[in-house]
Amino acid sequence: MVKKQEIQLFEEKKVRSVWDTETEQWYFSVVDVVGVLTDSKNPTDYIKKMKKRDAALAEGWGQFVTPLSVQTAGGRQRVNCATQAGIFRIIQSIPSPKAEPFKMWMAQVASQRLDQMQDPELSIEQAMADYKRLGYSDKWINARLKGIEVRKELTDEWERAGIQQGQQFASLTDIITKEWSGMTTRQYKQHKGLKKESLRDNMTNVELALNMLAEASTTEISREKNPKGFAQSAQVAKEGGSVAKAARKQLESKTGKSAISTEKASNYLLPPEEKE
């Protein structure tokens, strides 16, 4: 199974999802789905009680629930996930007015993914629509989407150099981030007061531009130096980050203020009345 994790939004609530490229179907985090449908403060406890109420559900649990590696606040962990059919069975045991709308939403998510595989431009359009719905400005969205493209080029280059996805990708990202910003990714998130939220989704336009410069520079240097393995790629990552560091220092000398902001998305998103 080749898997790609994504965050889906149902009524502005996150549902962690994993796409299986072989079977071409989504696996949805069971605890996220239960949390969305029940608004329970402890969906894990709700699942335990639900299985006690529904003996047939408990008996067949292992047949339609599959533990998959999913990103959590504590790092990647194995989380119970289920396909659309499995989620439908779980929904049968949840008395919720959101059940039918959620079924329709899952069907739409599946359909959109298949369409996007045929036309990748639709993925970009969907991302733009999601960010707009959350209140981001067009200028920020354009920068963020360009950053995603730059990041993809970098990770492709890392894979060519023999870097393994997961911890090695994260370590190299930390090297780049610390070099240009002076902070590791975790320290940067703490600087902004973030917990589970995405750092990149909470960067200002200037921060996005500097981060993009750091990653694009790393990609170009890597292509020229052709590093092999983690140690050589780590040195290249530091060199790429130093390009953005120089740009940051020059900008700060001109403006007289830090280019690294404590602001997060909630500080600069459009207020609700301006979204409409």
Side-chain angles (χ1 to χ4, degrees):
M1 179 191 294
V2 180
K3 302 178 288 295
K4 177 183 178 182
Q5 183 183 334
E6 293 186 12
I7 297 294
Q8 310 290 344
L9 293 176
F10 174 75
E11 295 184 352
E12 309 300 333
K13 294 183 179 180
K14 293 181 179 180
V15 178
R16 291 167 295 179
S17 310
V18 179
W19 175 256
D20 179 354
T21 57
E22 294 182 7
T23 62
E24 294 188 351
Q25 61 182 337
W26 285 106
Y27 283 78
F28 299 89
S29 165
V30 174
V31 71
D32 289 352
V33 172
V34 172
V36 165
L37 294 179
T38 65
D39 293 321
S40 172
K41 294 182 179 179
N42 190 342
T44 300
D45 187 56
Y46 187 98
I47 291 173
K48 292 179 181 177
K49 295 178 180 178
M50 179 177 64
K51 290 166 69 177
K52 288 182 179 179
R53 292 195 308 265
D54 189 335
L57 176 69
E59 183 177 352
W61 188 257
Q63 298 176 13
F64 51 81
V65 172
T66 304
L68 296 177
S69 178
V70 173
Q71 187 64 40
T72 70
R76 296 196 71 84
Q77 297 180 12
R78 294 185 73 77
V79 173
N80 281 336
C81 298
T83 63
Q84 184 173 334
I87 293 297
F88 282 179
R89 174 60 184 87
I90 293 172
I91 289 176
Q92 291 178 15
S93 297
I94 302 176
S96 170
K98 297 180 182 180
E100 288 306 315
F102 191 84
K103 289 181 181 180
M104 294 177 63
W105 173 81
M106 279 202 304
Q108 182 181 18
V109 166
S111 175
Q112 286 175 344
R113 178 57 185 171
L114 293 175
D115 290 343
Q116 289 165 3
M117 290 171 64
Q118 300 300 319
D119 184 0
E121 186 176 341
L122 294 175
S123 297
I124 298 174
E125 293 176 354
Q126 184 60 51
M128 290 182 68
D130 289 341
Y131 280 127
K132 274 184 173 293
R133 186 172 67 251
L134 292 172
Y136 289 94
S137 68
D138 289 344
K139 182 178 179 181
W140 186 95
I141 293 171
N142 289 334
R144 182 70 178 95
L145 293 180
K146 184 61 179 178
I148 292 173
E149 177 185 344
V150 169
R151 175 70 179 182
K152 180 62 168 59
E153 291 181 351
L154 175 58
T155 56
D156 285 348
E157 176 62 18
W158 280 344
E159 289 182 348
R160 184 204 60 75
I163 304 303
Q164 297 178 2
Q165 292 190 32
Q167 187 57 49
Q168 289 193 336
F169 271 30
S171 296
L172 290 177
T173 300
D174 257 355
I175 292 172
I176 295 173
T177 304
K178 185 168 185 179
E179 183 61 27
W180 79 259
S181 72
M183 294 177 284
T184 63
T185 303
R186 172 175 287 188
Q187 291 169 337
Y188 206 153
K189 292 182 72 171
Q190 291 174 341
H191 181 68
K192 286 181 173 289
L194 303 173
K195 294 182 180 179
K196 298 181 180 180
E197 304 95 324
S198 162
L199 174 59
R200 293 165 195 257
D201 283 354
N202 285 274
M203 285 183 171
T204 63
N205 286 322
V206 169
E207 290 171 309
L208 282 175
L210 289 170
N211 192 67
M212 198 187 314
L213 174 60
E215 295 195 330
S217 298
T218 301
T219 300
E220 291 304 311
I221 295 171
S222 181
R223 287 170 176 167
E224 290 299 317
K225 293 194 171 184
N226 194 28
K228 300 296 182 183
F230 181 82
Q232 293 180 13
S233 293
Q235 179 58 40
V236 169
K238 187 175 178 66
E239 293 174 8
S242 69
V243 175
K245 178 181 179 179
R248 176 174 71 85
K249 292 293 186 182
Q250 185 174 9
L251 175 61
E252 291 175 341
S253 70
K254 300 294 184 182
T255 63
K257 64 179 183 180
S258 176
I260 309 300
S261 175
T262 57
E263 285 192 332
K264 48 183 178 288
S266 58
N267 298 128
Y268 54 80
L269 285 179
L270 296 173
E273 60 270 17
E274 292 186 27
K275 292 182 188 180
E276 301 176 356

